[in-house]
Amino acid sequence: MNTSVARVAALYDIHGNLPALEAVLEQVREAAVDHIVVGGDVLPGPMARETMQCLLNLPFPVDFIYGNGEVAVLEHLAGRTPARVPEQYRPAIQWAAEQVHDCQSVLASWPMTIRLQIDGMGEVLFCHATPRNEDECFTRLTPDERLRPVFDGLGAAVVVCGHTHMQFDRLVGKTRIVNAGSMGMPFGEPGADWLLLGPDVQLQHTPYDLQKAAERIRGTMFPWPEDFATRYILQPPSAAEMLDLFTRASI
């Protein structure tokens, strides 16, 4: 049986945005969290090495699961071209792989899903995109009939996911599905999105010094530091635009 925990912070889609992570961790400490789940797509991103070092040295029990970003980085480290990554984004994968090559065995040890017993919630399953695939898309608008075959019969009261960088909380059949949103590349309001779990679900949004964060990102050797600072920190894409895009690409 899984160990029962009281308060869990779910941190998803950090994408090497260390300033966002640092801001959220301050709130995590204040919230008396006793466990952290890092839900994939720590990579790629502009401060990949520093973000990994921060996460691997946290003074909390931490579980990691992999996302499509880690899959692509591991493929590159193995000498293969990440087939699912469009060519224009491959420099970011190469950059991340160079930054964290000494963490290859750590990344390779992360599972696709984990389960925790959380006080007041029962068994909670954590995955990156869906429990069967780290790269599938769905949103709060994706019809139930498409999702029931994916989520029925899991034996979990709640499923926590990410991947589409937009928070939501919905029911599919009898399963409550919660998207943590993205800490490092949110869609909609600038800041950092994450979840606090136990004894219920709390969608969190953490503001931080965006201008200072953008300057730190611009100081990296990431392939597109200005684009990342502007598009994903200072002026994120609108939630409406991305909701339409990802809903049309849904399962």
Side-chain angles (χ1 to χ4, degrees):
M1 179 60 66
N2 296 311
T3 301
S4 181
V5 293
R7 299 269 279 178
V8 177
L11 315 182
Y12 274 64
D13 295 281
I14 302 168
H15 284 289
N17 185 343
L18 182 63
L21 174 60
E22 291 170 342
V24 168
L25 288 175
E26 287 187 19
Q27 292 202 326
V28 165
R29 294 182 183 99
E30 294 170 1
V33 164
D34 58 6
H35 203 96
I36 290 176
V37 174
V38 178
D41 277 17
V42 174
L43 313 167
M47 302 182 75
R49 173 179 289 275
E50 298 90 339
T51 299
M52 280 291 293
Q53 289 173 341
C54 178
L55 291 170
L56 294 175
N57 289 284
L58 287 174
F60 302 92
V62 183
D63 279 307
F64 295 85
I65 58 177
Y66 67 78
N68 54 298
E70 283 77 35
V71 169
V73 167
L74 285 169
E75 285 183 320
H76 184 87
L77 287 170
R80 299 188 297 270
T81 299
R84 293 184 179 180
V85 179
E87 188 171 353
Q88 66 265 34
Y89 299 124
R90 289 175 188 169
I93 300 299
Q94 180 179 348
W95 159 262
E98 292 169 351
Q99 295 295 301
V100 302
H101 64 89
D102 54 339
C103 296
Q104 183 173 0
S105 61
V106 173
L107 292 171
S109 72
W110 295 356
M112 187 170 72
T113 66
I114 63 163
R115 293 174 184 253
L116 292 176
Q117 290 284 341
I118 300 179
D119 293 350
M121 296 181 65
E123 184 160 286
V124 179
L125 185 152
F126 297 82
C127 59
H128 181 68
T130 73
R132 69 184 187 185
N133 186 293
E134 77 284 351
D135 207 27
E136 291 183 311
C137 291
F138 72 100
T139 73
R140 63 179 176 84
L141 300 180
T142 304
D144 276 21
E145 58 267 24
R146 297 192 202 170
L147 298 176
R148 292 280 302 256
V150 180
F151 291 99
D152 281 356
L154 292 173
V158 180
V159 174
V160 175
C161 62
H163 187 52
T164 56
H165 296 204
M166 290 173 285
Q167 291 181 324
F168 63 73
D169 185 352
R170 63 175 288 187
L171 281 176
V172 173
K174 296 181 179 180
T175 306
R176 186 178 184 182
I177 303 173
V178 186
N179 191 301
S182 173
M183 281 183 50
M185 296 173 63
F187 299 143
E189 183 182 356
D193 292 334
W194 56 289
L195 288 183
L196 187 59
L197 303 166
D200 201 353
V201 174
Q202 299 178 48
L203 301 176
Q204 301 289 317
H205 180 82
T206 299
Y208 60 99
D209 190 329
L210 302 174
Q211 293 294 338
K212 185 175 180 180
E215 286 306 308
R216 291 174 71 183
I217 297 305
R218 291 181 181 120
T220 71
M221 298 299 291
F222 186 66
W224 314 287
E226 180 61 42
D227 182 68
F228 192 99
T230 300
R231 182 167 172 78
Y232 297 114
I233 294 179
L234 299 175
Q235 299 171 2
S238 76
E241 171 193 355
M242 302 310 293
L243 181 62
D244 178 66
L245 178 68
F246 280 116
T247 300
R248 285 188 281 112
S250 291
I251 294 168

